[in-house]
Amino acid sequence: MWERTLQDLIRGLRANKKDEAKFIAQAVDEIRQEIRSKDMELKAGAVLKLTYLDMLGYDMSWASFHVVEVMSSPRIHLKSVGYLGASQSFDQDTDVLMLTTNLLKKDLTSKAEDVAVALNGFAQIVTPDLARDLAQDVIKMLTHSRAQIRKRAVLALFKVLVKYPEATPHAMTRLRERLEDSDPGVVSATVNVLCELARRNPQDYLSLAPQLFHLMTTSSNNWMLIKIIKLFGTLTPHEPRLVKKLQPPISDLISTTPAISLLYECVHTCIIGGMLQGTTGNALARTCVTKLANFLQDTDQNLKYIALLALVKIVPTHPYLVAEYQDMIMSSINDQDISIRMRALDLISAMANRDNLQSIVQQLLSHLVRNESAPLPSAVQSLAQHTTSAPASTRLVNAPSQSPAYRLILAQRILALCSQGMYENVTDFEWYLSVLVDLAYIASADIGGEIRDQLVDVAARVRGARRYAVQLMVKLLCDDTFLMHAGEEGSCAEVLWAAAWICGEYCGELAEPQKLLTYLLQPKVLSLSSDIIAVYLQAAIKVFGSWTAELADRWDDDDLPKVRNTVDTVVERASEFASNSDIEVQERAANILQLLTFVRADLNVFRPKVEVGFEYDEPEASGFGEEASAEPRFPKSLCLVRPLFDAYELNPVAAVAQESVPVPEGLDLNAWVVPPPKEDVTPLQEAEPTGETKPKKLKKGKGKDTGAKGKGKKRKDTEDTGDTLIESVETAEDKAERERRKAERLERLRDDPYYLVDDRAARPKIQQDDLDSIPVVRLDDLPPLPTGSAGNSRLPSLRSTPRTATPPSYMVDRVGEMPANARPATPLQEPTPQSLSTVSAGNGAVSAPLPSFPVYEVEDDIPRTGTPSPIKVVRAKKKSKKAGSSNGKKRTTDSTSTQ
Amino acid sequence: MIHAVLIFNTSGVARLTKFYTPLRQSAETLVQKIFALVSSRSATLCNFLDAPELESFLSQSSDDGDKLRVVYRNYATLYFVFIVDSVESELGILDLIQVFVESLDRAFENVCELDLVFHFDEAHHILSEIIQGGLVLETNVEEIDSAVQEAAKARKESFASANPLSLGSSGVGGRGSGIQTPLGWLTTKLTGVSAR
């Protein structure tokens, strides 16, 4: 007998630390020999060794049949090795499990030791099949003469019920009897099992309440009491009458028990069990919060941790009680223990409201900032560290915020806090915008994309903050160091996407558009990712367009060289991008080039009109076909670019906008787009459903067309426009023809066995009588609009006064734009009861005139008027935060890719 | 319920791993991940491991959105880690770890890491007297001890009857051949188990 025992294997492993893999390969070879041996001792030894190797990460699934062999040994010392191997290595898909049914049945009727081992192993390896086949045997064991076995059977029964719920009715009556078992261990195990089962479907276990209540009031076993209390915590939400009954004994326990774990569970159950309602409940709530606050102050970190856990759950119902301890909770965020920080973050997030949001966010930001300075300790500090040689304490405090994962969580938390409920807690959006930019600078975490989305969303939804947003974004775009570090990890370079987009979209707010152009087109931009470059280019042309148009408004012939210069630079820069490897960048650069080549040609032939008499020198490039007398004093091409971009305003699209677009008549959404080849129709016919979908897409844009200036072109690429225009001029004949073909086809398909024909009548007309349910609130007591701003969608003046203590109120376009002919809102959009940021007349200093707010009439076909309309706060629950924020970037007409 | 019980030493070597529910990632990576996080925590910090790196793992028990919780305790050179869900009481599990350690201590008489190394099967048997299939079987150290001894005796007798010539200690089961406990490591043994 030279075989190695487990002990030999382990000694060998320890001796061969340097060449472990080789040693183990050798050992496994031996095991392969031994495991096939006829000698059961040897076989079991091999299985045991394999089980050990399994823990170290070596596969043993190949040996599962041998494991079953060892399990079937009649000798308990071998059998238990087999069961151990099985419970460590088998999973639900192990095929040899089906061989174990009879083995388990036999072992369950064997000696007590065997039954114990078998039950333990069974609880680990049970599958639905095993559970079904052995349910009866396990239930029988519930009345075994030995408490030890009954206990195990109770726990094994839980596994049976999880895998095979059909056994529940029968098992429950037997399980119930165990609550009155003579052995406290069995009762405790039964409560354990009930606790697990009740969590899955509490209603079924309400009938056990009297028995449990009796146990609770008579038992003194803390382990079991904890479980019973927990069990009641899951039951009470489904049986309000229990609350009254439980309140006295639980309050009693809270005030008397010396065991903190039990005390904590009582408090916890009170909270999750909804026992804190009503007058008695309020008193209890106060007790609970006081107890938890005591935990919070305790030196034991564990108590601090669980106190935070429980406080999170009480905040929704009793925020004012928790608010009393806000300072204490705030200090927990600074705890050196990351576990506590994480829970404190949760709690703080739950506590955030309009009043404390700014201070909370400021504090969270400071965590991210402090770190920034950590690598560069001041001279005094480093000196002190050297002399005292006990720097551990100072370093430890900062340790958690060094972890990148924690920084990411922190940054995400800040964003989530501010954006929750569609910014319902944000009172000052200029503050929020600056927070976002700060975050981009200090986060050093992979959060750029989320910050970008927030920036765009806020700029799109909050008109009042746009000017500030543009200012901030210009700063960001001009920041060379930010650009320089953009390639680094955690640099949040995506923010530049938002910066460029916002500057481009709201370029009217720019102070020095021309200056920005050089930044947008600087060669260093090439280091950014291509999607950002594309937005840069697009922004550049938008800025250029708005700049030239403004120049045209106040044309002075002295500007001409300046314009020429700028055009030349832009062309030069854009041509660098035109050869970019990315198709998107290339195309946009090419667009710019073409537009500007045209502008340049126009500029070159432009002759300043010094005298009226010079009108004979009419430049030949007057391709606009206008009257000579109406010829403007400036190069006409200056007004070429802007209309391409500003014909429509971009508004956030409501979450439900798409689905509220009524399906146009005659459009069958279920029709084949590309019919299967079997159908013998000409390609011309096949193409028709494709054509049908297009006008539908356009519909949304067209609805807005009616109200906008007619000269505006579609904000799409020109080819696209041409394409869709053709599609949209579908004449009545076409339509009739199409209908006819469709009918023909349907007729053909009716007898085709491969098709299911929908015989139902066409989609019922959309109900139009539900307009009242659309949540539109008219605010009557608003300050009148300054007449000067009529027709001007921008803020007329820059606010030059410094920020006052009271921030201005902002209008947030929470709901987003709906299509003009929207269907009635779905019931999902209940108006929310929360008070919206109603506009109060700002203090004199902050008299930012309210911008004209687009009105989205829901009546059919009423065009939007150009006149400033009364301000409406459109209140409706947005569908989801996410949908809302992504909508912010969307063109109302089509996807973002066309910008 | 309890989803896993792990024991590893201060260098991250697993000494016992028991998973009561199937894992969605390999056991080794989980042990390594938890070890990396736990080992960097100083003794004064709390016994609950909560870290952003673990979020994805902890929130995987999608039954009711409740998160898993990692409760650990450090004894000399070993970390005892329990992964539990919300049905278990956090403080209760801390006590249960203590119960487990005390039971090991009784069975091995001054248990040390080497005992667990060379008798990992025995450690499993002891664990099986405390937890079965993820549910707590017994919490009373006396009861656990007597059950452990009874089972060990049964295995020993069975072994003796199968190997009449053996001197009683080698073979698959039983306490090994006189491995003493050089460290006597249970020095940080906590007192007053039921106090909290």
Side-chain angles (χ1 to χ4, degrees), chain A residues 105-117:
Chain A
K105 260 188 201 293
K106 195 166 138 251
D107 283 346
L108 285 179
T109 51
S110 179
K111 297 189 298 268
E113 312 80 279
D114 290 352
V115 178
V117 171

Side-chain angles (χ1 to χ4, degrees), chain A residues 770-789:
Chain A
D770 203 13
L771 288 180
D772 292 338
S773 73
I774 293 180
V776 175
V777 177
R778 193 180 288 269
L779 297 181
D780 292 323
D781 53 350
L782 289 174
L785 279 174
T787 45
S789 71

